[in-house]
Amino acid sequence: MTRLVPFCRALFLTSILATLSACNKGGGGAPAPSVAASAPAGAASTPPVGVTTVTAAQRDLAIELTATGTVAPLSSVDMRPQLTSVVSRVHIREGQFVKAGELLFTLDSRTDEAKVAQAQAQVARDQAALADAQRQLTRSRELLAQNFISQGAVDANQAQVDAQTALVASDRAALAAARVALGYARVTAPSAGRVGTISVYPGSAVQANTTTLVTITQLDPIAVAFSLPQRHLADALAALPGGGARVSATLPEGAGKLEGRLKFVDNLVDPASGTVKVKAVFDNGAGKLWPGAFVNIAMTARTLKDAVIVPQAAIIQSARGSIVYTVQGGKAEAKPVQLVHAEGEDAAVTGVRAGDKIVLDGRQNLRPGAAVTERPREGAAAASGAASAPSKKASAP
């Protein structure tokens, strides 16, 4: 048994050598290709990546800010009486538009009319006393010239005239105050606007500076209040001296669109939200904007002149920052870009030039230096097919 094992080993080695000799003879003596030698051939046969491209354009790009604004009147006045009285007559109706100075209410003024008459009578009495004092002074001066009275008597008459003059002035001031109080019986509109709900009627008792008679709201022009991010504060302030930035207000449910101007920037940035309150003023002759309503606001903060525009979808966020792939000489080239502003589907960037071919579809399969082949975009092909369909139908027999 011990002699059989070395014999088997020798027989196994002899068979392996014979097999290798036969393989060399069948292959004509050529060495077998190695795996390392076949790798470059596989790499050279990698097909190019199909991509779609767009051309980077150069144009002005308006920076549009959108927000939700609240319509607010430029003025809204609660009309309250300045005296305690009773309403005698209401001269307006609810919802009416009034002009500045138009009569709204008349209050019971009989008491104030009596006070005015009393003040007028007091003025007349004191004027008569002043006239008598002036005559006495004139007579005393004549007697002094004839040495019939002393200088002291003349001085006394002069003091009486001065006191009576001051009393007449006081009476006239009291008469003017009485007339002011009488004027409070006529309640007039301080500014033009629309009348709201009337809360009193003829015969209603009203308290001075307490009872609200009606509210008058100015509707034309009208303001819209909204908030701007802090980063656009400098743009808003710079636009104010030139008439304000252009602002558009879109009404809900397709009710229309109005154009206005930015007119006010608040003096405080809200630290909680990082925004500043602003107001834009709109012409509202048609009455489309109503106080308290919500509208969609779009404001042109500023315009980027001659910006290079690429599709926002073409920008790739990599570990080293934002890049785009361009096609040059049939190969993909990665270029770092800096995003300046994004507006809808467009983005203003730096790092590429106008006219560069920017890879849009297929960018996820690219590596720098990869071979590419351009193919038409699906939307363009569909549009081309839709355009040619009618002509084919027309040529059919």
Side-chain angles (χ1 to χ4, degrees), residues 25-78:
K25 290 179 180 180
S34 62
V35 176
S38 62
S45 62
T46 301
V49 180
V51 297
T52 62
T53 61
V54 294
T55 303
Q58 188 174 26
R59 58 180 172 85
D60 295 344
L61 180 64
I63 298 180
E64 293 281 347
L65 305 178
T66 59
T68 300
T70 305
V71 181
L74 293 179
S75 67
S76 182
V77 182
D78 293 334

Side-chain angles (χ1 to χ4, degrees), residues 32 38 43 97 115 127 137 150 173-174 224 227 260 303 313 322 324 342 358 384:
S38 62
F97 284 91
K115 291 180 179 180
Q127 282 180 336
L137 177 60
S150 64
V224 175
S227 297
T303 301
S322 302
V324 296
I358 309 298
S384 176

